[in-house]
Amino acid sequence: MEYKKNDIVRITIEDIGNDGEGIGKADGYTLFVKDAVIGDVIEARITKCKKNYGYARVEKVATPSPFRVEPKCAFHRQCGGCQIQAMGYERQLAYKQNKVCNHLQRIGGFAPKLIDTVMEPIVGMEEPWHYRNKAQYPVGYDRAGNLVAGFYAGRTHDIIANTDCPLGSPENQVILEAVLSYMRENGVSAYLESTGEGLVRHVLIRTGFTSGEIMVCLVINGKRLPEEDKLVERLTGLLLEGTVLAGDSGQSAADDEVSAGVCEQSVQMEGREIPCKRIVSISVSVNREKTNVIMGQEIRVLWGRGWIEDSLRVLDSTDFGTAGRADEGTGNEERITFRISPLSFYQVNPRQTEKLYCLALEYAGLTGQETVWDLYCGIGTISLFMAKRARKVYGVEVIPQAIEDAKENARRNGITNAEFLVGKAEEVLPGFYKGNGASDEQMRHPDVIVVDPPRKGCDEKCLETMLAMQPKRIVYVSCDPATLARDLKVLRGGGYELKRARAVDQFGHTGHVEVIIMMQYCGKEKN
Ligand code: SAH
């Protein structure tokens, strides 16, 4: 049967697509349906027809899937952030586990039997809400011309007014409302993408979950905000979770050694101990470009310091439970503290990051004698974990500011065996391999190479040099299983065998998944 746009069909959702969408068939014709949950029987309206498949949207859920749950967020269907909030969390985890296995098999060409043997159970979250430590809210106007902050509707730049995202930190709402009232009272305009006019583009809020320290950074299309002191006054006067006026910490906010990444004051909330939240950094980021890139490179501090601190526990064990859903893990007293600036990358889900980094440590198999390269090192997070157990660690990162932070982080933690280099991994690594000045044999032939690239994966030149360096083990941390699988195929071709693999859910309710794998050199080149 030939289908056309606007046809209504009744289908059963039998599979889940790459972005978490439901997949069903109408008389053999495959339809991709956003917001449909595997197991649903739905009435779908076809929105687009291609030759062999089409797209549709849910008109009515006729029989809900046993995996369907009531979403927490009223905006989940419009917002581009959460693709699978209507799917029960356990089913989300199973979907992600399966997605990783499929990519390893289809793109990586690994045998299903090998994948079965090496894949460990996905590490889920204890509490899959309010887990994000970072949010970037666009500011603009709604249809009626009201000043709003919120989220972009999926695949568009229309702003949905919503300051209460259930994935974000709860105090974000109070902070955003304060920014909006400052703007209204002082006639500060929001940026309009269509004309390139107006001032405030985004509000970035970052929270140190252990330190309680909060950074607020307004991204503006100009050099200054009108009445900047009024903004500072408002924000520092906020009463946040469990505390103390933010303004009380004004003195210590300027002090650079205050917190050591752990807040001494804490309160009991819902049976959990949480640190007192306080704003310690207010800044603007100047972005006058007509671009989708959120942050501008120039940061000016209006109040407090230019960064927040947070700390991560070095967990004792990676025995997170086998039921798919991991418990919190146990921490000894070992912690590493990080300084985080507005422009530097820091994992968005700190509780899961502790688990991820401890897996990285375990997969690296360090005894204290090793030389390790940590490529795409950001502010040196993984490097400093490795440095605790290795002889020497070299971190490479393209953003100079992040490398500044990495060096400062090493110093603060008393770590002296980590060195950080600015540059592209695909340039720095070959440079040292070819024997650039300072490189010694151990640098040229490290024991372990760790990589944690952005979604697009590793550059070919980087992979090539890794193979030439021939480390015993390669640990690959990835936020995109498709490019991971592509790169692993190259590494396998160069003589490496896949030994361990585990997915970690860093991004609950979204279709994204983090994966960590370990490959070991097996001495013979294979294809
Ligand atoms: N390992 C860190 C950061 C991972 S995010 C952590 O877990 O916190 C990826 C990092 O790679 C970002 O900091 C980004 O700035 C950096 N990056 C992107 N392209 C790069 C390249 N070609 N060479 C080196 N670093 C790069």
Side-chain angles (χ1 to χ4, degrees):
M1 175 166 172
E2 285 274 305
Y3 290 104
K4 58 184 186 316
K5 190 173 168 177
N6 283 325
D7 281 354
I8 304 272
V9 289
R10 195 178 173 95
I11 56 172
T12 301
I13 302 299
E14 287 163 353
D15 206 348
I16 314 173
N18 246 333
D19 299 316
E21 71 279 21
I23 303 176
K25 284 194 168 127
D27 293 328
Y29 183 67
T30 302
L31 288 170
F32 293 88
V33 195
K34 194 174 134 347
D35 305 316
V37 175
I38 188 165
D40 278 344
V41 178
I42 59 165
E43 275 173 23
R45 179 185 293 271
I46 297 180
T47 51
K48 197 170 183 179
C49 285
K50 302 249 183 178
K51 192 155 177 283
N52 299 316
Y53 63 93
Y55 297 91
R57 69 161 187 257
V58 179
E59 279 289 298
K60 193 176 137 201
V61 179
T63 315
S65 157
F67 304 117
R68 188 171 264 282
V69 293
E70 189 59 42
K72 245 189 199 203
C73 177
F75 303 101
H76 83 283
R77 281 187 72 170
Q78 292 123 286
C79 174
C82 288
Q83 297 86 19
I84 51 175
Q85 226 190 81
M87 192 190 291
Y89 188 62
E90 299 297 329
R91 190 63 187 82
Q92 291 184 15
L93 292 177
Y95 154 65
K96 292 181 185 189
Q97 176 88 355
N98 193 38
K99 175 166 158 172
V100 173
C101 294
N102 273 340
H103 283 325
L104 286 176
Q105 190 187 332
R106 291 198 190 141
I107 304 172
F110 291 95
K113 220 169 141 196
L114 174 70
I115 298 171
D116 267 0
T117 321
V118 298
M119 260 322 263
E120 296 161 55
I122 183 168
V123 182
M125 279 180 248
E126 275 284 277
E127 170 54 39
W129 301 105
H130 297 298
Y131 61 79
R132 284 186 65 99
N133 58 12
K134 171 182 166 182
Q136 290 165 317
Y137 298 87
V139 180
Y141 300 96
D142 65 11
R143 295 244 158 89
N146 300 309
L147 184 68
V148 292
F151 289 91
Y152 290 129
R155 297 206 183 88
T156 76
H157 274 196
D158 293 342
I159 299 174
I160 301 168
N162 175 24
T163 54
D164 187 21
C165 165
L167 303 193
S169 206
E171 68 279 355
N172 290 355
Q173 184 168 29
V174 186
I175 294 169
L176 279 174
E177 296 300 342
V179 171
L180 291 178
S181 12
Y182 147 79
M183 287 178 67
R184 285 189 199 110
E185 279 168 25
N186 296 283
V188 182
S189 58
Y191 177 73
L192 274 181
E193 274 187 341
S194 49
T195 62
E197 282 162 15
L199 198 53
V200 179
R201 302 169 71 125
H202 278 86
V203 181
L204 162 75
I205 306 174
R206 273 181 146 169
T207 305
F209 277 19
T210 335
S211 65
E213 295 185 356
I214 297 171
M215 161 195 299
V216 182
C217 179
L218 270 62
V219 184
I220 58 174
N221 173 39
K223 276 274 179 209
R224 308 188 65 81
L225 284 166
E227 311 285 346
E228 285 175 345
D229 50 332
K230 294 255 169 61
L231 174 70
V232 169
E233 205 175 288
R234 244 182 200 283
L235 288 175
T236 54
L238 287 177
L239 206 51
L240 300 176
E241 213 164 50
T243 60
V244 289
L245 276 175
D248 292 351
S249 59
Q251 202 56 33
S252 57
D255 174 354
D256 115 352
E257 303 283 349
V258 269
S259 70
V262 187
C263 181
E264 286 112 41
Q265 286 172 299
S266 60
V267 282
Q268 284 283 337
M269 289 264 294
E270 292 158 10
R272 283 189 315 136
E273 191 89 354
I274 58 157
C276 290
K277 304 266 176 76
R278 64 217 182 282
I279 294 173
V280 301
S281 169
I282 304 173
S283 60
V284 292
S285 154
V286 177
N287 183 357
R288 297 166 116 166
E289 307 289 314
K290 270 202 156 190
T291 163
N292 279 341
V293 176
I294 295 178
M295 300 296 291
Q297 293 302 305
E298 182 189 337
I299 305 284
R300 187 164 51 86
V301 177
L302 304 183
W303 182 86
R305 347 178 183 106
W307 70 88
I308 57 166
E309 284 193 339
D310 200 22
S311 69
L312 293 175
R313 294 174 301 167
V314 184
L315 301 181
D316 285 335
S317 133
T318 54
D319 180 16
F320 304 127
T322 49
R325 187 83 170 261
D327 64 25
E328 275 285 294
T330 49
N332 54 25
E333 284 314 301
E334 211 175 352
R335 279 180 177 278
I336 304 182
T337 303
F338 300 102
R339 175 175 104 171
I340 306 149
S341 305
L343 294 179
S344 43
F345 177 91
Y346 184 62
Q347 296 278 352
V348 296
N349 184 337
R351 293 284 78 83
Q352 291 299 93
T353 299
E354 287 181 338
K355 298 174 191 170
L356 178 71
Y357 290 173
C358 285
L359 280 168
L361 258 184
E362 184 175 297
Y363 283 13
L366 304 176
T367 62
Q369 302 305 311
E370 293 79 6
T371 303
V372 180
W373 281 93
D374 176 25
L375 309 178
Y376 312 88
C377 72
I379 58 172
T381 37
I382 296 178
S383 319
L384 297 185
F385 267 69
M386 297 285 159
K388 291 262 183 192
R389 307 274 190 272
R391 183 191 72 84
K392 181 89 196 194
V393 180
Y394 299 96
V396 181
E397 159 66 44
V398 73
I399 297 180
Q401 174 72 51
I403 286 291
E404 284 305 303
D405 285 351
K407 288 179 178 168
E408 176 62 19
N409 290 334
R411 192 186 68 77
R412 283 183 176 223
N413 290 283
I415 293 172
T416 51
N417 58 336
E419 243 176 70
F420 294 97
L421 308 156
V422 185
K424 290 187 176 164
E426 59 272 24
E427 289 169 8
V428 173
L429 202 65
F432 277 94
Y433 182 63
K434 286 188 200 117
N436 256 0
S439 57
D440 57 25
E441 265 318 285
Q442 279 162 325
M443 273 181 111
R444 297 185 67 239
H445 295 291
D447 303 280
V448 179
I449 298 181
V450 183
V451 298
D452 182 7
R455 272 186 212 159
K456 67 172 192 254
C458 292
D459 188 275
E460 264 173 57
K461 189 95 201 133
C462 178
L463 292 171
E464 226 173 75
T465 315
M466 285 163 66
L467 288 176
M469 287 180 147
Q470 216 170 82
K472 293 187 196 78
R473 285 178 293 284
I474 294 173
V475 177
Y476 195 135
V477 180
S478 161
C479 53
D480 184 335
T483 57
L484 169 76
R486 178 201 69 198
D487 291 351
L488 295 191
K489 192 173 181 178
V490 176
L491 296 175
R492 190 186 48 199
Y496 284 81
E497 267 177 16
L498 182 60
K499 291 291 183 190
R500 297 190 69 175
R502 195 159 193 187
V504 177
D505 190 24
Q506 298 271 67
F507 318 107
H509 308 293
T510 79
H512 300 293
V513 59
E514 190 89 9
V515 195
I516 176 163
I517 68 93
M518 191 269 279
M519 284 186 124
Q520 196 168 318
Y521 188 63
C522 64
K524 47 193 182 295
E525 308 227 337
K526 281 192 195 169
N527 245 317

